[in-house]
Amino acid sequence: MPQTSATDRHRPVHRLVPSPAGRIHLVEQGSGPLVLLVHGFPESWYSWRRQLPALAAAGYRAVAVDVRGYGRSSRPQAVEAYRMLDLVADNVAVVEALGERSAVVVGHDWGATVAAHSALLRPDVFRAVGLLSVPYTPPGGPRPSEVFAGMSDPAGPFAGQEFYVSYFQEPGRAEAEIEPDVRGWLAGFYSALSADTMPGPEAPDPHFVAPGGTLRERFPAHGRLPSWLSEEELDVYAGEFERTGLTGALNRYRNMDRDWADLAAHRGAPITQPSLFLGGGMDASTTWLSDAIEAYSDTLPGLSASHLLDGCGHWLQQERPEETNRLLTEWLAGLPG
């Protein structure tokens, strides 16, 4: 019988597993305790390409999923099929399909919010949670659509401009901007939020849309890709979204008010499991939500490590893979059990 080498056992393997969405596509590498990696917008499992081998080498079973609506995972048609409760259920289904009883869940961007709520709602399954770029904010507070509409307050700094989350709400509107040139739009979006290519402080904020305008108009005009992204890597991202379209990805944004209602019973609830936060010092997600970070003693009482990476933008695990991998593996090694 042929022998299976250690190298073979640690090569990435693509799989499709059943979930409430239909099927979830995942890529796994390594063996050991399960670490579930959840991407954000507009990304895919591929966003974790530099973490999978590092976690495998450190003795973990690293699994990066395509969130429902993305990549090779199922894409339900109904807008309401992308609410937070559904994404949490998908994560639980992945753990079960892999024959595991528990996992550490780590997320970036929207994936951080999905990871946080997975830990909040299913502490029996998710024994620890790592959050990259987007801090944890407990359920509750004002209705999200009202908050985002208020960001265009005539007396505020963004008077008359529309926040990108509001811009994404109407089905088909953002798709009409993005889908005629997916590759070009992705290149601009990634560049706008990367430390080495983002617009300067005097430029219009790329998170807002001018009246009658588009997000693309706010992307950097220099046309350079950020240093972490090669032309070939951009082709991978673009190829997936050219095949699937953007509707499944954008539908996550279209459920924020539904999530607000669904999670009302958990208003103000902390996450008590061991937790990690990594943010970029130049990322609007960490500067705008600095109050959420300051509240971690109440909202993340199990926080064991929190790091802001100086000179880093939004795409943290791709901009700073070595540093992210080191901080992740150090945190994982210190978890109980």
Side-chain angles (χ1 to χ4, degrees), residues 204-267:
D205 193 306
H207 297 88
F208 288 83
V209 177
T214 64
L215 272 177
R216 181 190 290 266
E217 294 167 355
R218 298 290 180 87
F219 295 163
H222 52 63
R224 299 194 317 273
L225 291 182
S227 59
W228 58 266
L229 183 68
S230 70
E231 296 284 353
E232 293 74 19
E233 289 168 327
L234 177 59
D235 285 341
V236 174
Y237 283 118
E240 290 292 82
F241 286 111
E242 286 168 347
R243 182 174 56 81
T244 65
L246 271 291
T247 297
L250 290 164
N251 279 345
R252 173 82 285 274
Y253 291 92
R254 297 164 182 162
N255 280 280
M256 297 180 75
D257 280 354
R258 291 186 182 93
D259 296 339
W260 179 80
D262 288 343
L263 299 166
H266 301 276
R267 182 184 181 93

Side-chain angles (χ1 to χ4, degrees), residues 50-321:
R50 298 187 176 101
Q51 282 66 55
L52 288 168
L55 292 174
Y60 298 95
R61 185 183 188 185
V63 172
V65 298
D66 278 336
V67 174
R68 70 164 65 191
Y70 286 82
R72 303 180 209 176
S73 291
S74 294
R75 300 188 301 279
Q77 289 190 351
V79 173
E80 60 270 21
Y82 295 83
R83 59 214 306 161
M84 185 60 67
L85 295 179
D86 294 315
L87 301 184
V88 170
D90 286 342
N91 281 351
V92 172
V94 168
V95 174
E96 294 175 348
L98 293 173
E100 304 281 359
R101 300 182 65 179
S102 69
V104 176
V105 60
V106 178
H108 170 256
D109 183 75
W110 257 124
T113 306
V114 176
H117 285 82
S118 297
L120 175 67
L121 300 176
R122 293 302 303 269
D124 56 317
V125 176
F126 299 104
R127 62 187 180 93
V129 58
L131 309 177
L132 275 59
S133 297
V134 176
Y136 173 60
T137 54
R143 186 184 296 272
S145 58
E146 296 173 358
V147 173
F148 300 134
M151 297 178 77
S152 301
D153 190 314
F158 303 107
Q161 302 178 60
E162 187 177 16
F163 191 48
Y164 78 101
V165 177
S166 299
Y167 178 70
F168 285 168
Q169 292 304 306
E170 180 185 342
R173 185 183 178 197
E175 289 94 325
E177 173 188 342
I178 302 168
E179 291 180 355
D181 177 21
V182 169
R183 192 180 191 278
W185 194 91
L186 290 175
F189 192 77
Y190 295 149
S191 295
L193 305 185
S194 297
D196 61 338
T197 49
M198 65 175 54
E202 73 289 344
D205 193 306
H207 297 88
F208 288 83
V209 177
T214 64
L215 272 177
R216 181 190 290 266
E217 294 167 355
R218 298 290 180 87
F219 295 163
H222 52 63
R224 299 194 317 273
L225 291 182
S227 59
W228 58 266
L229 183 68
S230 70
E231 296 284 353
E232 293 74 19
E233 289 168 327
L234 177 59
D235 285 341
V236 174
Y237 283 118
E240 290 292 82
F241 286 111
E242 286 168 347
R243 182 174 56 81
T244 65
L246 271 291
T247 297
L250 290 164
N251 279 345
R252 173 82 285 274
Y253 291 92
R254 297 164 182 162
N255 280 280
M256 297 180 75
D257 280 354
R258 291 186 182 93
D259 296 339
W260 179 80
D262 288 343
L263 299 166
H266 301 276
R267 182 184 181 93
I271 294 173
T272 59
Q273 296 99 306
S275 55
L276 165 75
F277 176 72
L278 303 179
M282 297 177 66
D283 185 2
S285 297
T286 55
T287 54
W288 288 350
L289 295 174
S290 59
D291 288 349
I293 296 173
E294 292 174 4
Y296 277 168
S297 59
D298 296 320
T299 61
L300 291 178
L303 185 71
S304 50
S306 180
H307 304 273
L308 279 181
L309 308 189
D310 290 338
C312 184
H314 182 67
W315 316 106
L316 189 140
Q317 78 270 35
Q318 298 179 86
E319 292 188 50
R320 297 283 188 81

